[in-house]
Amino acid sequence: MTARMLCLVSLTLLMACGNDSSSTAPPPLTTTPPVTTDPVPVPVPVLSFTTVDTIAGQAGVRGSADGKGSQATFNYPAGLAATGAAGAKNGETLLYIAGLTENIRYAQVGYSDNPVGTAIGKGESGSVDGDATTARVRAPQGVAVGYGDDAYNAYAYWTEDDSCVVRTLTRYPLNGNRKAVTVAGQAYKCGAADGPAATAKFNRPDGIVANTRTGEVFVADTSNYTLRRIYGGAVTTVAGAAGQPGGSDGVGAAARFSAPRGLAMDRAENLYLTDYTTVRKITPAGVVTTLAGKLNTVGYTDGPALDARFSRLAGIAIDENGTVYVADSGNHVVRRITASGVVSTVAGVQSVAGNADGTISAATFDTPTGLAYYNKQLFVSDSSSQTIRRIR
């Protein structure tokens, strides 16, 4: 092999070749790194809200009256779920409402007078399946919207914490003979059993969300300290361990929850859960992380998500930009967590319980509990003021 051929196959030694009988020193190392161009981050929009108003209920008046929004009454409204109303032309919204009126209510927001009606239940306590004349509902807490083949086939799921079941309301029409059906659990037989839906057991389930793409239904099983899934006629535990409270992050059964309550899903099918003083994120692979707050540390602090402090978190919702909203019931405010990880107060006055409408900085809430987002509006069940409020 000639010297020139040897040189060509030995470039990794950084030797330079001149002719067959001599060589030159290697070139000096480059001291200036190459210029690279990273993609410029695209800012994620954050919605701007200005006003709070009351769309249904009478402040301080408990009851179960249907009718015009301003004349309707509620009994500690809790879970909310929002979707487009059937036949909507101008963003009209159908809002399902759970609470202590022993039925599932609805409000048709955007129509004349925002009418409130009863979707199922006679106002008589019980957990009995059946049609509009026979079904009974027991203290529903969480409520979620699912879909059939089109928007006209929207139906609802809800949890009953006292009777430890998950139930569904069959589809439209609102004023038709819809039916209540138990999806999972056994009425008044509380526990922590996975398996076939009919024999599975829950322990005071609360938050609920439906994956409208897959048909999965996820439940915050509060007193079991777990996240459960209902799919294909069976119940499984997604994360947490029954009877083992805590706050550790991890995968599946290795994670721990303190008081899982509100539940929502983003467009990437990640789940978000309010857990007393923290907000947790659960990926489709079951990886649990803390998004904001600190375990069992009550307070009120805006700022970087993990430095933020909350008090008795309840409902949760997510907008199309990935901003997470939470009902901070202990502080009487609604907060948000941006995609960049910053917590701020959306509306309400910290530690001031009230029912004043107006600008977001002057409006007051009294134990905001349920939260739903639709069409650039936030809906709030203002539980202790017995009203349904809107932030827009």
Side-chain angles (χ1 to χ4, degrees):
M1 179 181 293
T2 68
R4 185 174 296 277
M5 293 175 63
L6 180 62
C7 183
L8 289 173
V9 297
S10 303
L11 290 177
T12 56
L13 298 178
L14 298 177
M15 298 297 293
C17 299
N19 52 44
D20 289 345
S21 60
S22 63
S23 63
T24 61
L29 295 175
T30 300
T31 57
T32 303
V35 177
T36 59
T37 303
D38 294 327
V40 177
V42 177
V44 177
V46 178
L47 293 178
S48 177
F49 300 102
T50 61
T51 306
V52 176
D53 62 344
T54 299
I55 60 172
Q58 303 175 51
V61 179
R62 293 172 57 189
S64 58
D66 290 337
K68 296 179 180 180
S70 60
Q71 298 175 357
T73 54
F74 298 93
N75 187 14
Y76 294 100
L80 291 180
T83 188
K89 297 180 180 179
N90 297 299
E92 293 88 352
T93 303
L94 174 64
L95 191 65
Y96 283 108
I97 306 161
L100 300 186
T101 50
E102 313 292 17
N103 48 27
I104 298 296
R105 315 278 295 282
Y106 63 84
Q108 294 175 284
V109 183
Y111 292 96
S112 178
D113 299 317
N114 299 323
V116 173
T118 296
I120 199 75
K122 302 290 287 183
E124 300 172 5
S125 183
S127 189
V128 180
D129 291 344
D131 61 20
T133 63
T134 59
R136 299 292 182 270
V137 178
R138 170 64 177 164
Q141 292 299 307
V143 63
V145 174
Y147 293 91
D149 53 0
D150 57 48
Y152 287 89
N153 283 326
Y155 54 101
Y157 294 99
W158 74 90
T159 57
E160 295 181 9
D161 64 345
D162 282 354
S163 53
C164 296
V165 293
V166 178
R167 304 175 73 188
T168 189
L169 175 65
T170 55
R171 303 173 182 175
Y172 275 115
L174 282 176
N175 58 354
N177 193 10
R178 307 173 78 182
K179 295 181 180 180
V181 178
T182 298
V183 174
Q186 305 172 62
Y188 305 108
K189 294 182 179 179
C190 303
D194 283 341
T199 57
K201 293 182 179 180
F202 298 85
N203 194 359
R204 302 190 74 84
D206 195 318
I208 185 169
V209 67
N211 184 330
T212 58
R213 183 185 68 84
T214 64
E216 298 166 288
V217 176
F218 296 91
V219 179
D221 197 5
T222 304
S223 291
N224 275 328
Y225 313 108
T226 55
L227 175 66
R228 314 285 292 281
R229 182 182 79 149
I230 306 167
Y231 183 67
V235 176
T236 56
T237 299
V238 174
Q244 298 184 39
S248 57
D249 292 337
V251 180
R256 295 291 180 269
F257 300 102
S258 174
R261 194 172 179 189
L263 194 58
M265 177 180 285
D266 69 13
R267 294 188 174 191
E269 300 183 358
N270 297 297
L271 293 167
Y272 296 81
L273 183 69
T274 56
D275 195 20
Y276 190 53
T277 60
T278 61
V279 180
R280 315 292 292 279
K281 177 181 178 180
I282 304 96
T283 70
V287 179
V288 179
T289 55
T290 298
L291 181 68
K294 184 177 180 180
L295 174 67
N296 294 331
T297 303
V298 174
Y300 177 79
T301 307
D302 285 338
L306 295 179
D307 294 330
R309 298 293 178 261
F310 304 92
S311 178
R312 290 192 290 113
L313 291 171
I316 186 169
I318 303 173
D319 70 18
E320 62 272 17
N321 300 318
T323 300
V324 177
Y325 303 91
V326 292
D328 191 355
S329 63
N331 282 317
H332 304 294
V333 294
V334 175
R335 317 276 292 278
R336 74 176 148 212
I337 309 160
T338 65
S340 60
V342 177
V343 174
S344 61
T345 299
V346 175
V349 181
Q350 190 263 334
S351 295
V352 177
N355 50 59
D357 288 337
T359 64
I360 57 172
S361 60
T364 55
F365 296 89
D366 193 352
T367 320
T369 301
L371 206 59
Y373 173 83
Y374 184 78
N375 195 26
K376 297 182 173 24
Q377 303 171 97
L378 274 174
F379 298 95
V380 185
S381 61
D382 201 17
S383 190
S384 292
S385 77
Q386 316 300 337
T387 56
I388 307 299
R389 316 282 293 281
R390 174 174 56 184
I391 304 171
R392 57 177 175 166

